[in-house]
């Protein structure tokens, strides 16, 4: 007769759900688009008005 060990094994089940919030993606895109537009406006100002003074 074989001896069986009584093991208490707890199994943790995790459900990983990938959430995609389209409003979050849109707001992030708008934020970085605004950064790029402001950057190019500053460059345009420098090239058009500041550099010709020198």
């Amino acid at each position: 007769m074989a001896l069986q060990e009584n093991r208490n094994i707890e199994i943790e089940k995790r459900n990983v759900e990938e959430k995609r919030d389209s409003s979050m993606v849109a707001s992030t895109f708008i934020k970085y688009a605004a950064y790029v537009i402001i950057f190019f406006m500053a460059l345009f100002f420098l090239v058009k008005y500041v550099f010709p003074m020198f």
Side-chain angles (χ1 to χ4, degrees):
M1 185 185 237
L3 228 128
Q4 290 184 343
E5 294 180 22
N6 191 4
R7 295 184 187 180
N8 185 9
I9 300 174
E10 295 182 16
I11 299 174
E12 181 179 340
K13 185 175 181 182
R14 292 184 183 184
N15 291 331
V16 178
E17 297 179 7
E18 187 174 331
K19 296 181 179 178
R20 294 187 180 189
D21 189 5
S22 62
S23 64
M24 186 69 124
V25 173
S27 65
T28 304
F29 173 76
I30 291 170
K31 179 174 69 171
Y32 286 111
Y35 290 159
V36 169
I37 290 170
I38 291 170
F39 175 74
F40 282 115
M41 287 174 63
L43 276 179
F44 177 76
F45 175 77
L46 287 174
V47 169
K48 189 78 173 174
Y49 298 107
V50 176
F51 286 154
M53 292 181 182
F54 293 110

mmCIF file of all heavy atoms in Angstrom, residues 2-4 6-7 13-16 19 21 25 28 30 34-38 41-42 46-47 50 53-54:
data_model
loop_
_atom_site.group_PDB
_atom_site.id
_atom_site.type_symbol
_atom_site.label_atom_id
_atom_site.label_comp_id
_atom_site.label_asym_id
_atom_site.label_seq_id
_atom_site.Cartn_x
_atom_site.Cartn_y
_atom_site.Cartn_z
ATOM 1 N N ALA A 2 0.699 2.115 -0.977
ATOM 2 C CA ALA A 2 1.530 3.301 -1.117
ATOM 3 C C ALA A 2 1.019 4.410 -0.209
ATOM 4 O O ALA A 2 -0.179 4.569 -0.010
ATOM 5 C CB ALA A 2 1.532 3.774 -2.555
ATOM 6 N N LEU A 3 1.948 5.120 0.330
ATOM 7 C CA LEU A 3 1.601 6.219 1.213
ATOM 8 C C LEU A 3 1.353 7.474 0.380
ATOM 9 O O LEU A 3 2.191 7.866 -0.419
ATOM 10 C CB LEU A 3 2.760 6.490 2.170
ATOM 11 C CG LEU A 3 2.303 6.608 3.605
ATOM 12 C CD1 LEU A 3 3.140 5.673 4.416
ATOM 13 C CD2 LEU A 3 2.383 7.966 4.112
ATOM 14 N N GLN A 4 0.227 8.055 0.523
ATOM 15 C CA GLN A 4 -0.067 9.283 -0.223
ATOM 16 C C GLN A 4 0.051 10.480 0.717
ATOM 17 O O GLN A 4 -0.457 10.450 1.834
ATOM 18 C CB GLN A 4 -1.475 9.238 -0.801
ATOM 19 C CG GLN A 4 -1.634 8.256 -1.924
ATOM 20 C CD GLN A 4 -3.040 8.344 -2.509
ATOM 21 O OE1 GLN A 4 -3.941 8.895 -1.880
ATOM 22 N NE2 GLN A 4 -3.203 7.784 -3.684
ATOM 23 N N ASN A 6 -0.907 14.158 1.667
ATOM 24 C CA ASN A 6 -2.020 15.071 1.455
ATOM 25 C C ASN A 6 -1.449 16.488 1.322
ATOM 26 O O ASN A 6 -1.053 17.090 2.302
ATOM 27 C CB ASN A 6 -2.992 14.977 2.640
ATOM 28 C CG ASN A 6 -4.287 15.708 2.343
ATOM 29 O OD1 ASN A 6 -4.470 16.205 1.237
ATOM 30 N ND2 ASN A 6 -5.157 15.773 3.327
ATOM 31 N N ARG A 7 -1.404 16.963 0.102
ATOM 32 C CA ARG A 7 -0.827 18.287 -0.154
ATOM 33 C C ARG A 7 -1.940 19.319 -0.341
ATOM 34 O O ARG A 7 -2.910 19.073 -1.040
ATOM 35 C CB ARG A 7 0.041 18.276 -1.411
ATOM 36 C CG ARG A 7 1.252 17.402 -1.285
ATOM 37 C CD ARG A 7 2.068 17.533 -2.527
ATOM 38 N NE ARG A 7 3.167 16.574 -2.520
ATOM 39 C CZ ARG A 7 4.034 16.469 -3.484
ATOM 40 N NH1 ARG A 7 3.940 17.230 -4.550
ATOM 41 N NH2 ARG A 7 5.009 15.591 -3.412
ATOM 42 N N LYS A 13 -5.225 31.981 -9.927
ATOM 43 C CA LYS A 13 -5.546 32.205 -11.327
ATOM 44 C C LYS A 13 -5.654 33.701 -11.564
ATOM 45 O O LYS A 13 -6.369 34.399 -10.852
ATOM 46 C CB LYS A 13 -6.859 31.523 -11.680
ATOM 47 C CG LYS A 13 -7.202 31.600 -13.132
ATOM 48 C CD LYS A 13 -8.443 30.796 -13.439
ATOM 49 C CE LYS A 13 -8.727 30.883 -14.920
ATOM 50 N NZ LYS A 13 -9.941 30.168 -15.294
ATOM 51 N N ARG A 14 -4.929 34.150 -12.557
ATOM 52 C CA ARG A 14 -4.956 35.583 -12.878
ATOM 53 C C ARG A 14 -5.520 35.768 -14.278
ATOM 54 O O ARG A 14 -5.079 35.127 -15.219
ATOM 55 C CB ARG A 14 -3.549 36.179 -12.839
ATOM 56 C CG ARG A 14 -2.957 36.216 -11.468
ATOM 57 C CD ARG A 14 -1.625 36.889 -11.495
ATOM 58 N NE ARG A 14 -1.014 36.877 -10.174
ATOM 59 C CZ ARG A 14 0.119 37.460 -9.896
ATOM 60 N NH1 ARG A 14 0.796 38.083 -10.837
ATOM 61 N NH2 ARG A 14 0.603 37.409 -8.670
ATOM 62 N N ASN A 15 -6.449 36.659 -14.371
ATOM 63 C CA ASN A 15 -6.984 37.030 -15.680
ATOM 64 C C ASN A 15 -6.374 38.369 -16.065
ATOM 65 O O ASN A 15 -6.583 39.372 -15.388
ATOM 66 C CB ASN A 15 -8.508 37.160 -15.640
ATOM 67 C CG ASN A 15 -9.185 35.821 -15.449
ATOM 68 O OD1 ASN A 15 -8.646 34.802 -15.859
ATOM 69 N ND2 ASN A 15 -10.338 35.826 -14.819
ATOM 70 N N VAL A 16 -5.617 38.372 -17.149
ATOM 71 C CA VAL A 16 -4.982 39.593 -17.612
ATOM 72 C C VAL A 16 -5.793 40.118 -18.785
ATOM 73 O O VAL A 16 -5.892 39.472 -19.821
ATOM 74 C CB VAL A 16 -3.513 39.333 -18.035
ATOM 75 C CG1 VAL A 16 -2.885 40.609 -18.556
ATOM 76 C CG2 VAL A 16 -2.729 38.760 -16.871
ATOM 77 N N LYS A 19 -6.674 46.519 -21.538
ATOM 78 C CA LYS A 19 -7.694 47.540 -21.724
ATOM 79 C C LYS A 19 -7.155 48.631 -22.649
ATOM 80 O O LYS A 19 -6.092 49.178 -22.415
ATOM 81 C CB LYS A 19 -8.098 48.135 -20.384
ATOM 82 C CG LYS A 19 -8.739 47.126 -19.469
ATOM 83 C CD LYS A 19 -9.152 47.756 -18.162
ATOM 84 C CE LYS A 19 -9.804 46.726 -17.266
ATOM 85 N NZ LYS A 19 -10.177 47.284 -15.984
ATOM 86 N N ASP A 21 -8.197 52.193 -23.933
ATOM 87 C CA ASP A 21 -9.122 53.308 -23.798
ATOM 88 C C ASP A 21 -8.849 54.270 -24.942
ATOM 89 O O ASP A 21 -7.821 54.946 -24.958
ATOM 90 C CB ASP A 21 -8.918 53.979 -22.443
ATOM 91 C CG ASP A 21 -9.986 55.005 -22.145
ATOM 92 O OD1 ASP A 21 -10.929 55.126 -22.950
ATOM 93 O OD2 ASP A 21 -9.877 55.677 -21.114
ATOM 94 N N VAL A 25 -5.902 57.351 -25.649
ATOM 95 C CA VAL A 25 -5.000 57.387 -26.796
ATOM 96 C C VAL A 25 -5.176 58.692 -27.556
ATOM 97 O O VAL A 25 -4.194 59.332 -27.950
ATOM 98 C CB VAL A 25 -5.263 56.180 -27.724
ATOM 99 C CG1 VAL A 25 -4.451 56.285 -28.997
ATOM 100 C CG2 VAL A 25 -4.948 54.884 -26.998
ATOM 101 N N THR A 28 -3.656 61.647 -25.583
ATOM 102 C CA THR A 28 -2.194 61.607 -25.635
ATOM 103 C C THR A 28 -1.698 62.072 -26.997
ATOM 104 O O THR A 28 -0.722 62.815 -27.100
ATOM 105 C CB THR A 28 -1.688 60.184 -25.335
ATOM 106 O OG1 THR A 28 -2.197 59.781 -24.075
ATOM 107 C CG2 THR A 28 -0.182 60.139 -25.303
ATOM 108 N N ILE A 30 -3.210 64.135 -29.048
ATOM 109 C CA ILE A 30 -3.425 65.580 -29.142
ATOM 110 C C ILE A 30 -2.355 66.323 -28.359
ATOM 111 O O ILE A 30 -1.837 67.354 -28.806
ATOM 112 C CB ILE A 30 -4.838 65.938 -28.644
ATOM 113 C CG1 ILE A 30 -5.883 65.414 -29.623
ATOM 114 C CG2 ILE A 30 -4.996 67.431 -28.434
ATOM 115 C CD1 ILE A 30 -7.301 65.499 -29.117
ATOM 116 N N ALA A 34 0.338 68.813 -30.101
ATOM 117 C CA ALA A 34 0.462 70.212 -29.687
ATOM 118 C C ALA A 34 1.926 70.548 -29.394
ATOM 119 O O ALA A 34 2.404 71.630 -29.750
ATOM 120 C CB ALA A 34 -0.400 70.481 -28.464
ATOM 121 N N TYR A 35 2.663 69.621 -28.753
ATOM 122 C CA TYR A 35 4.092 69.851 -28.508
ATOM 123 C C TYR A 35 4.842 70.048 -29.815
ATOM 124 O O TYR A 35 5.678 70.952 -29.937
ATOM 125 C CB TYR A 35 4.711 68.673 -27.752
ATOM 126 C CG TYR A 35 4.284 68.524 -26.318
ATOM 127 C CD1 TYR A 35 4.417 67.298 -25.674
ATOM 128 C CD2 TYR A 35 3.748 69.582 -25.587
ATOM 129 C CE1 TYR A 35 4.039 67.134 -24.348
ATOM 130 C CE2 TYR A 35 3.362 69.423 -24.265
ATOM 131 C CZ TYR A 35 3.523 68.204 -23.659
ATOM 132 O OH TYR A 35 3.153 68.053 -22.347
ATOM 133 N N VAL A 36 4.556 69.223 -30.798
ATOM 134 C CA VAL A 36 5.256 69.308 -32.090
ATOM 135 C C VAL A 36 4.911 70.610 -32.789
ATOM 136 O O VAL A 36 5.790 71.288 -33.342
ATOM 137 C CB VAL A 36 4.901 68.087 -32.964
ATOM 138 C CG1 VAL A 36 5.388 68.270 -34.386
ATOM 139 C CG2 VAL A 36 5.490 66.817 -32.358
ATOM 140 N N ILE A 37 3.646 71.008 -32.768
ATOM 141 C CA ILE A 37 3.233 72.255 -33.424
ATOM 142 C C ILE A 37 3.899 73.453 -32.752
ATOM 143 O O ILE A 37 4.405 74.358 -33.437
ATOM 144 C CB ILE A 37 1.691 72.382 -33.401
ATOM 145 C CG1 ILE A 37 1.077 71.345 -34.341
ATOM 146 C CG2 ILE A 37 1.251 73.782 -33.767
ATOM 147 C CD1 ILE A 37 -0.420 71.223 -34.222
ATOM 148 N N ILE A 38 3.928 73.474 -31.429
ATOM 149 C CA ILE A 38 4.577 74.581 -30.717
ATOM 150 C C ILE A 38 6.064 74.626 -31.025
ATOM 151 O O ILE A 38 6.646 75.702 -31.235
ATOM 152 C CB ILE A 38 4.320 74.464 -29.199
ATOM 153 C CG1 ILE A 38 2.843 74.737 -28.908
ATOM 154 C CG2 ILE A 38 5.212 75.405 -28.408
ATOM 155 C CD1 ILE A 38 2.419 74.432 -27.498
ATOM 156 N N MET A 41 6.486 76.070 -34.478
ATOM 157 C CA MET A 41 6.176 77.500 -34.464
ATOM 158 C C MET A 41 7.353 78.298 -33.884
ATOM 159 O O MET A 41 7.682 79.370 -34.403
ATOM 160 C CB MET A 41 4.909 77.761 -33.653
ATOM 161 C CG MET A 41 3.640 77.329 -34.354
ATOM 162 S SD MET A 41 2.166 77.480 -33.336
ATOM 163 C CE MET A 41 2.110 79.229 -33.054
ATOM 164 N N ALA A 42 7.981 77.770 -32.846
ATOM 165 C CA ALA A 42 9.145 78.443 -32.264
ATOM 166 C C ALA A 42 10.299 78.471 -33.261
ATOM 167 O O ALA A 42 10.994 79.489 -33.393
ATOM 168 C CB ALA A 42 9.557 77.746 -30.970
ATOM 169 N N LEU A 46 12.084 81.793 -34.917
ATOM 170 C CA LEU A 46 13.528 82.039 -34.901
ATOM 171 C C LEU A 46 14.067 82.283 -36.300
ATOM 172 O O LEU A 46 14.838 83.226 -36.528
ATOM 173 C CB LEU A 46 14.257 80.842 -34.271
ATOM 174 C CG LEU A 46 14.125 80.694 -32.763
ATOM 175 C CD1 LEU A 46 14.761 79.390 -32.321
ATOM 176 C CD2 LEU A 46 14.776 81.864 -32.061
ATOM 177 N N VAL A 47 13.660 81.454 -37.247
ATOM 178 C CA VAL A 47 14.190 81.580 -38.611
ATOM 179 C C VAL A 47 13.669 82.846 -39.288
ATOM 180 O O VAL A 47 14.418 83.540 -39.989
ATOM 181 C CB VAL A 47 13.811 80.322 -39.436
ATOM 182 C CG1 VAL A 47 14.105 80.535 -40.912
ATOM 183 C CG2 VAL A 47 14.568 79.118 -38.907
ATOM 184 N N VAL A 50 14.274 86.241 -35.865
ATOM 185 C CA VAL A 50 15.457 86.431 -35.024
ATOM 186 C C VAL A 50 16.733 86.313 -35.838
ATOM 187 O O VAL A 50 17.626 87.158 -35.739
ATOM 188 C CB VAL A 50 15.444 85.443 -33.835
ATOM 189 C CG1 VAL A 50 16.724 85.563 -33.019
ATOM 190 C CG2 VAL A 50 14.217 85.682 -32.967
ATOM 191 N N MET A 53 18.156 89.243 -38.012
ATOM 192 C CA MET A 53 18.728 90.390 -37.315
ATOM 193 C C MET A 53 20.254 90.317 -37.254
ATOM 194 O O MET A 53 20.901 91.331 -37.040
ATOM 195 C CB MET A 53 18.166 90.469 -35.896
ATOM 196 C CG MET A 53 16.706 90.815 -35.839
ATOM 197 S SD MET A 53 16.159 90.896 -34.138
ATOM 198 C CE MET A 53 14.447 91.255 -34.333
ATOM 199 N N PHE A 54 20.808 89.128 -37.402
ATOM 200 C CA PHE A 54 22.255 88.997 -37.284
ATOM 201 C C PHE A 54 22.948 89.193 -38.603
ATOM 202 O O PHE A 54 22.555 89.011 -39.639
ATOM 203 C CB PHE A 54 22.630 87.614 -36.725
ATOM 204 C CG PHE A 54 22.172 87.447 -35.305
ATOM 205 C CD1 PHE A 54 21.131 86.576 -34.976
ATOM 206 C CD2 PHE A 54 22.781 88.153 -34.278
ATOM 207 C CE1 PHE A 54 20.718 86.412 -33.676
ATOM 208 C CE2 PHE A 54 22.361 87.985 -32.970
ATOM 209 C CZ PHE A 54 21.330 87.122 -32.660
#
